[in-house]
Each structure stands twice: as C-alpha cells, then as structure tokens.
C-alpha cells in the first residue's frame, strides 16, 4: 500500500480537525489520515509493554495486509494516538474503497479471493485479541486483489466463527447465483463451529474452481548484468533470455512457469558459485515437482505445497553448506546467496458439475534474503516480500519499532541466506506464500542491485504500460530494467526476471487455452513431459518434508485430499543429479583461492 508521501493512519485521531498541524510535525489531510512533514526525524516511540503495540510488532510478517506501527503522538486530554504507515491509501492520500463498496463490481473469483485472505488473517489476529479487525467492513480496504486493513481493532475476548459467518453472509447475499449457494452453505458450517481447517479447505476448493475457469497464459523473460563498476557478476537468474553480450544459448527444457533470481553475497567468485549452483539446483527440483504434478488427480492443499517448497530451499542450503564445510570455510568465509523463486503450480481441479479444469492459477513465491518480488499492473505496484534483514527481524520479535531498527548501522544486514546455515540445519526459515492469478499482471523478481535504488518506484508505470500496450516485448523490457539498474555508477550487479501473467479473454485467443483438457494440462505445465531430458539413471534423492498426520474431514464439509505429490521416484533422480552437479562444482571450485564470504552475524559486505 502506498506510503510515498508518508501518509499515516492515526488511531484515536478522529477528533483532530482537517488542516491542523499536530506536534509541529503532522498535518491532518483528511479524517484520520495524517502526513508526516518531517519523515527524516524519529517519531515518538510508544511503550512496547502495551499489548496493542506488541501486537502490531509481532504481526509484522503479515505485511501484505496489515499496517506497520510508525510511532505515536500525545495530545493533552486525548488518549495516546498511534500512527501507522503502510496503510491502504492512494498516492493522493485517500483511502482505497472498503470491501463493501467494491464488492458488487468485483468478479466472483475476486470476491472469494478476498474471503480467502480474510480467513488467513482470522487466527493470527484472534491470537492477539484483534479478530474484530476483519469483522468491521469499513476497516477492510481493497487494492485490486489485495485486502488491506486500516488498523487493528481489539476486544477483551476473541469473537467466534459465528460472528465471522454473519459478517460474510451480508456480502454473500449479493453474490452471483453460481457462488451464493456454496458460500452460504460454508457460512452455515462456520456458524455450527466446525473445524477451521475443514472450513478453509472447502473455501479453497471454491476459489480454485473459479480461478481454473479463467484462461491463463504465462510468458517469462530474464537477464543479469555485472553493472558499470564491477568486472564480474555474482548474480544468477532463470531464465536468461536477455544478454548484453549476445552469447545466449537456447534452453530446450525451458519452464515458462518458473522464475528465479539469486544474488551471491561473497563479493568474489564464491558468491558467483553459490548463486549459480542455487539456480541450477532449484530448477532441477521444480522440474521434479512439475513432473509429479502432472500425475495428480486430487487437489493438494497450499500447506503441503508450502512444505515441499520449503524443503527444496533447505536442500539447496545444505548443498551450498556442504561445499563450504568440505573446504573448511566458517564465519565470513562461507559463500552464500539470496534466493527468490516463483513457480506457477497448475493443479487440475474437478468442479461440482464434473468438469475438469487443468490449471488452478496458483503462484507460489519463496524467498530467503533481500532479493524482492513485485506484482505490477497498470494501476499499482505492490511489494510482495519483506527483506530478511536485521530491522525486520527485530520488529517481528517485538523488540523495537521499524523506525528505531532502521537507525541501526546494521539495519540492512541479512540474517539468513542460502549457505550460511550448516548442512542439515533446519533453522533456515524460507518465506513461502501462495497467490492466485486472477488479473493480468507482471511479476517482477530482482536482486537488490535494482530494488535498493528506488528504480522500480521511479519507472514501473511507464515500463509496465509499454508492455501492456504491446509497444515493447518482454525481452526488451528486461533489457531496459537492466540498463536502469546499471546506470549512475551503480556498484552492484543487477538481475531481473519478468513473468507476464494474462487471464483476460485475449489470452484465450492467443493459444493459451487448448481445446481439450488433456492439451490444457500439457500446456499448463510448460509441456514438461515433452521438453525435459533427465538422465536415464537415478542420480539424486529428493528430501521430502513428512506431512503431519491428517485429520479426518467432517462428513458435512468435504475437503480436498491432503496428500503430497506422490513421487519419490522421479525426485530421487533429482537429488542424485544435484549431488553430481555439486561434485562438479566442488572440483572446479577447489582450484579457487580462499575468498571472503558471509557471516550471518556480520553486515552484508560487497565490493
């Protein structure tokens, strides 16, 4: 949500008239929206022992939907006023529409997607006594697909599912006929106090069925550049379709549904080895997942996919860590890399009418470190990730406000990256989230060589509009972003991958939706079966996360089958091949001199 002019939401500040200047600093621009005229100065810091203050801090990982605590103001005769940033306001400083205002004009898939996001906030908010936040329609704002709350609203005792059911029912009554009935049944089950996991599974099924009815065309392009200062490039990405040196070779196993950016942290060849190894390893693992996906006949729940993608990133961490340990590297000598990866999982779903749709439009986004992801349409640019740095870590632990943490010299120091943890160390905590593709948009992945310099904020609108208008190709757009990042003597490498997702009707006419379900499924997985050329013998073992014991679904609310992708066989090939690949890298890398690396307890250092 937009904070370019430092617009803030004032909790308990409704009595202050528009136009007044508060504390010689904050100008009231409308209602409870204030503007900080001195954002360079540290605001007043509220007492962290206040449970409400602590709730804002510890819920900060839900940054996509919740505001961030900015500071406080004391006005004589008033309660303490908390100031929030990252609030749902337009660039002009007005609130985005409430969910009630936007509901009637939203298509069914977006309506259900909004409900899904609210369902994912229900338990976290209730654990802090803030469940009322998602029961107050005026507090729930929408920017396109995304839900955003103005503030957290607290009650002495958490509300029950019956209150949530009644809230939803007011919106569901105006839904189209095809979704009103299943959603109404779901609300009845909620009112009966049924198991929450059963309720969310049923809601997920409705969402996937609606999303799968839309066409989907995905096009991906990417590139990386050393920049104008460095002589070598420690970034790696997938795919690489743009090269300023013109020496690309064709990829015969190209996966359109996959995008990866890795930024080596070593400052020399060690970082370059780590980032390239991570990209190759992640690609191989995703190939195995997509092959197994093609054999699935039941919908796999998001938590299972998240577990498997988490496992994939831990495998890659262990692979790099093993290389470090074989060389006796420790502390800052360990090579490491950030990673951000997006993969579109094309599950097949059967509707209540017995129709099979081959692609549920699920996009899984995973990251470790400070490489970032943005979702961009002609109307907005949304940051989807939060950096794995010291500042965000301190806030999530409830130790300080972000403005305080940002004052530290090591505020941007990374707290984790692939390779920094020792092999078989499960302390690595990748951040994995699921999005539903229900609008035309571009997912932009980049290294911090682009995101740290306000380049995206400056150029996103003109560049994205050029793509949507058909004025430039995706490859031309990637090249332009690389040029933006390499300008002005940027000391860092730059990598960009663009994933263009189209669900509008024209996507169907461009060949993205074949005539038969079988053909659709083949296309949705990037024609994986035809394109992959895996070794004939098993060479790699895929480490799976064992799923928790499954609770039996209740008979009156059937839920999708919760089973992980069923093939250890193909993924066994993967882990062995990756070990072979790692051995090759190790032999090559053994000839290199010892070079500085990354110590997770030290600030990130580069040339």
């Amino acid at each position: 949500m937009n904070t370019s002019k430092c617009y803030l939401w004032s909790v308990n500040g409704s009595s202050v008239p528009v136009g007044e200047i508060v504390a010689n600093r904050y100008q009231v621009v409308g209602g409870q929206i204030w503007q900080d005229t001195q954002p360079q100065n540290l605001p007043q810091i509220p007492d962290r022992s206040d449970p409400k203050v602590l709730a804002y801090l510890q819920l900060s990982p839900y940054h996509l939907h919740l505001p961030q605590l900015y500071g406080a103001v004391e006005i004589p005769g008033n309660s303490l006023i908390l100031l929030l940033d990252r609030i749902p306001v337009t660039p002009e400083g007005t609130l985005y529409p409430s969910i009630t205002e936007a509901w009637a004009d939203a298509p069914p898939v977006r309506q259900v997607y909004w409900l899904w996001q609210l369902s994912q906030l229900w338990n976290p908010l209730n654990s802090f006594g803030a469940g009322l936040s998602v029961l107050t329609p005026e507090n729930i704002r929408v920017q396109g697909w995304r839900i955003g709350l103005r503030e957290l609203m607290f009650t002495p005792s958490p509300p029950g599912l019956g209150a949530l059911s009644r809230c939803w029912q007011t919106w569901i009554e105006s839904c189209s006929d095809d979704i009103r009935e299943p959603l109404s049944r779901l609300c009845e089950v909620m009112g009966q106090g049924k198991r929450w996991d059963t309720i969310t599974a049923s809601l997920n099924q409705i969402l996937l069925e609606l999303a799968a009815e839309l066409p989907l065309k995905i096009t991906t392009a990417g590139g990386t550049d050393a920049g104008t200062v460095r002589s070598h490039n420690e970034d790696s990405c997938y795919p690489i379709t743009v090269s300023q040196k013109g020496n690309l070779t064709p990829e015969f196993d190209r996966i359109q549904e996959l995008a990866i950016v890795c930024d080596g942290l070593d400052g020399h060849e060690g970082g370059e080895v780590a980032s390239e190894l991570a990209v190759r390893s992640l690609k191989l693992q995703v190939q195995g997942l997509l092959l197994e996906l093609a054999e699935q006949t039941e919908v796999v729940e998001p938590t299972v996919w998240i577990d498997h993608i988490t496992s994939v990133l831990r495998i890659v961490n262990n692979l790099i860590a093993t290389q470090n340990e074989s060389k006796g590297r420790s502390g800052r000598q360990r090579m490491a890399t950030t990673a951000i990866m997006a993969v579109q999982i094309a599950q097949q779903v059967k509707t209540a009418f017995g129709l099979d749709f081959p692609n549920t439009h699920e996009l899984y986004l995973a990251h470790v470190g400070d490489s970032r992801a943005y979702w961009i349409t002609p109307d907005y640019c949304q940051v989807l990730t939060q950096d794995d740095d010291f500042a965000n870590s301190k806030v999530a632990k409830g130790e300080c406000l972000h403005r305080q943490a940002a004052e530290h010299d090591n505020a941007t120091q990374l707290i984790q990256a692939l390779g920094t943890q020792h092999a078989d160390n499960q302390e690595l905590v990748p951040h994995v989230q699921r999005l539903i593709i229900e609008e035309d948009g571009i997912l932009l992945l980049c290294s911090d060589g682009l995101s740290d310099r306000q380049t995206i904020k400056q150029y996103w609108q003109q560049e994205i509009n050029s793509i949507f208008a058909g004025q430039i190709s995706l490859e031309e757009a990637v090249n332009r972003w690389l040029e933006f990042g390499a300008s002005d003597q940027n000391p860092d490498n730059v990598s960009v991958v663009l994933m263009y997702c189209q669900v509008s009707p024209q996507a169907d006419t461009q060949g993205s939706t074949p005539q038969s379900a079988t053909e659709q499924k083949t296309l949705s997985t990037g024609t994986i079966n035809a394109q992959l050329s895996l070794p004939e013998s098993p060479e790699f073992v895929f480490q799976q996360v064992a799923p928790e014991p499954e609770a039996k679904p209740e008979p009156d609310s059937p839920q999708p089958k919760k089973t992980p992708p069923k093939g250890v066989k193909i993924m066994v090939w993967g882990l062995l091949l990756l070990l072979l690949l790692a051995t090759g890298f190790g032999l090559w890398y053994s000839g290199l001199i010892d070079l500085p690396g990354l110590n997770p307890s030290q600030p990130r250092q580069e040339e």
Side-chain angles (χ1 to χ4, degrees):
M1 303 277 174
N2 191 286
T3 58
S4 59
K5 293 184 180 180
C6 205
Y7 290 119
L8 308 172
W9 180 259
S10 59
V11 180
N12 300 325
S14 59
S15 62
V16 184
V18 174
E20 185 167 328
I21 302 294
V22 180
N24 296 318
R25 174 170 179 171
Y26 304 100
Q27 182 173 13
V28 182
V29 298
Q32 293 174 247
I33 299 175
W34 296 7
Q35 184 177 358
D36 188 359
T37 62
Q38 302 172 33
Q40 71 278 8
N41 297 329
L42 193 67
Q44 177 183 339
I45 304 300
D47 184 359
R48 287 188 294 107
S49 64
D50 184 337
K52 295 180 181 179
V53 171
L54 193 61
Y56 278 105
L57 301 181
Q58 295 189 335
L59 286 168
S60 62
Y62 295 90
H63 59 95
L64 269 180
H65 310 292
L66 305 185
Q68 177 177 270
L69 185 56
Y70 183 84
V73 168
E74 290 184 87
I75 300 178
N78 284 49
S79 301
L80 180 70
I81 295 176
L82 296 180
L83 299 177
L84 313 177
D85 66 348
R86 297 185 182 176
I87 59 174
V89 296
T90 68
E92 295 73 33
T94 59
L95 286 170
Y96 282 108
S98 70
I99 187 172
T100 301
E101 294 170 330
W103 185 269
D105 295 328
V109 63
R110 177 162 291 182
Q111 292 172 338
V112 178
Y113 195 16
W114 287 339
L115 297 182
W116 170 260
Q117 293 172 62
L118 293 174
S119 75
Q120 299 305 291
L121 294 173
W122 177 249
N123 281 337
L125 291 177
N126 254 341
S127 67
F128 286 91
L132 182 62
S133 308
V134 293
L135 298 177
T136 308
E138 279 300 304
N139 192 51
I140 305 169
R141 301 285 160 163
V142 294
Q143 183 193 24
W145 64 274
R146 182 170 65 166
I147 289 289
L149 304 185
R150 296 181 313 185
E151 62 179 276
L152 299 184
M153 308 177 75
F154 300 89
T155 54
S157 58
L161 284 179
L164 186 63
S165 170
R166 290 189 295 272
C167 178
W168 286 12
Q169 193 65 55
T170 61
W171 301 320
I172 292 171
E173 290 173 356
S174 61
C175 285
S176 59
D177 294 340
D178 55 342
I179 66 170
R180 185 189 307 116
E181 183 177 351
L183 289 178
S184 294
R185 289 200 305 268
L186 183 64
C187 283
E188 291 177 6
V189 173
M190 291 168 60
Q192 296 168 4
K194 298 297 182 180
R195 287 174 55 99
W196 183 239
D197 56 352
T198 301
I199 293 168
T200 55
S202 298
L203 182 61
N204 184 59
Q205 179 75 16
I206 298 171
L207 174 60
L208 296 186
E209 289 180 12
L210 291 170
E213 294 177 0
L214 301 172
L216 178 59
K217 178 181 180 181
I218 292 179
T219 311
T220 311
T224 183
D225 189 76
T228 59
V229 175
R230 295 190 178 189
S231 59
H232 64 282
N233 190 354
E234 293 184 332
D235 286 5
S236 296
C237 69
Y238 179 85
I240 298 181
T241 59
V242 173
S243 173
Q244 296 180 345
K245 297 180 180 179
N247 58 355
L248 289 180
T249 57
E251 292 188 75
F252 297 104
D253 59 348
R254 171 82 174 276
I255 307 174
Q256 287 287 354
E257 295 82 2
L258 176 65
I260 307 171
V261 168
C262 292
D263 180 1
L265 306 183
D266 203 5
H268 277 288
E269 288 85 353
E272 180 179 345
V273 172
S275 64
E276 185 174 351
L277 180 56
V279 168
R280 291 175 180 267
S281 306
L282 289 170
K283 178 190 172 185
L284 183 63
Q285 293 289 331
V286 170
Q287 285 176 326
L289 282 176
L290 294 181
L291 282 169
E292 289 303 318
L293 173 64
E295 299 181 7
Q296 290 297 307
T297 58
E298 300 287 343
V299 170
V300 179
E301 291 185 15
T303 53
V304 178
W305 288 115
I306 289 172
D307 285 345
H308 280 283
I309 292 172
T310 297
S311 179
V312 162
L313 288 165
R314 285 177 174 164
I315 288 171
V316 177
N317 172 73
N318 290 351
L319 183 64
I320 299 173
T322 299
Q323 294 245 0
N324 283 326
E325 287 153 18
S326 68
K327 294 288 294 182
R329 293 177 176 268
S330 61
R332 293 188 61 194
Q333 291 183 335
R334 297 176 71 87
M335 66 176 181
T337 181
T338 72
I340 186 157
M341 176 179 73
V343 56
Q344 201 276 301
I345 299 294
Q347 294 200 82
Q348 180 175 331
V349 64
K350 184 185 293 291
T351 70
F353 301 101
L355 299 176
D356 286 331
F357 289 97
N359 195 334
T360 53
H361 293 212
E362 295 170 280
L363 181 67
Y364 285 85
L365 186 64
H367 83 282
V368 175
D370 61 357
S371 296
R372 291 186 185 175
Y374 299 78
W375 178 254
I376 309 177
T377 74
D379 298 321
Y380 44 75
C381 176
Q382 300 167 333
V383 185
L384 300 179
T385 56
Q386 189 174 61
D387 295 347
D388 265 330
D389 60 23
F390 173 84
N392 287 319
S393 174
K394 296 284 282 184
V395 173
K397 293 176 182 177
E399 297 177 1
C400 63
L401 272 66
H402 194 277
R403 287 301 310 273
Q404 290 175 290
E407 297 292 318
H408 286 268
D409 293 336
N410 58 353
T412 59
Q413 167 195 319
L414 296 186
I415 60 170
Q416 64 173 0
L418 298 182
T420 59
Q421 276 77 12
H422 291 275
D424 299 322
N425 189 333
Q426 295 303 304
E427 291 182 2
L428 181 78
V429 183
H431 308 278
V432 187
Q433 56 184 301
R434 184 192 72 163
L435 307 172
I436 297 296
I437 304 171
E438 47 89 26
E439 67 177 350
D440 289 356
I442 292 177
L443 181 71
L444 185 153
L445 308 185
C446 67
S447 59
D448 68 334
L450 186 66
S451 60
D452 277 357
R453 304 173 64 247
Q454 301 296 310
T455 308
I456 296 174
K457 176 181 176 181
Q458 182 178 356
Y459 294 108
W460 73 265
Q461 198 157 31
Q462 71 179 47
E463 294 305 310
I464 296 305
N465 282 340
S466 297
I467 299 174
F468 276 88
Q471 296 171 348
I472 61 174
S473 67
L474 210 57
E475 286 76 14
E476 290 172 325
V478 168
N479 195 58
R480 287 163 69 124
W481 281 114
L482 292 177
E483 291 176 354
F484 290 145
S487 62
D488 300 326
Q489 298 298 304
N490 180 12
D492 205 353
N493 310 141
V494 181
S495 294
V496 179
V497 178
L498 301 179
M499 179 181 285
Y500 189 10
C501 304
Q502 296 172 272
V503 300
S504 54
Q506 59 264 31
D508 190 32
T509 62
Q510 294 171 352
S512 64
T513 308
Q515 297 299 314
S516 68
T518 302
E519 291 171 342
Q520 280 190 347
K521 185 171 183 178
T522 302
L523 183 65
S524 299
T525 56
T527 57
I528 269 296
N529 292 314
Q531 293 179 352
L532 289 182
S533 55
L534 292 175
E536 296 181 359
S537 59
E539 299 179 51
F540 193 42
V541 178
F542 180 82
Q543 300 178 3
Q544 288 183 303
V545 174
E548 297 180 358
E550 180 182 359
K552 294 182 179 180
E554 302 194 20
D556 52 355
S557 293
Q559 62 178 349
K561 183 177 180 181
K562 185 175 181 179
T563 56
K566 63 176 182 177
V568 174
K569 294 185 295 183
I570 295 177
M571 292 184 184
V572 166
W573 301 5
L575 193 46
L576 286 176
L577 180 58
L578 198 52
L579 288 176
L580 183 62
L581 176 66
T583 302
F585 267 105
L587 292 174
W588 172 69
Y589 189 68
S590 64
L592 297 175
I593 61 173
D594 283 348
L595 298 165
L598 174 76
N599 182 344
S601 66
Q602 299 292 332
R604 172 174 178 164
Q605 297 185 0
E606 297 177 332
E607 284 189 337

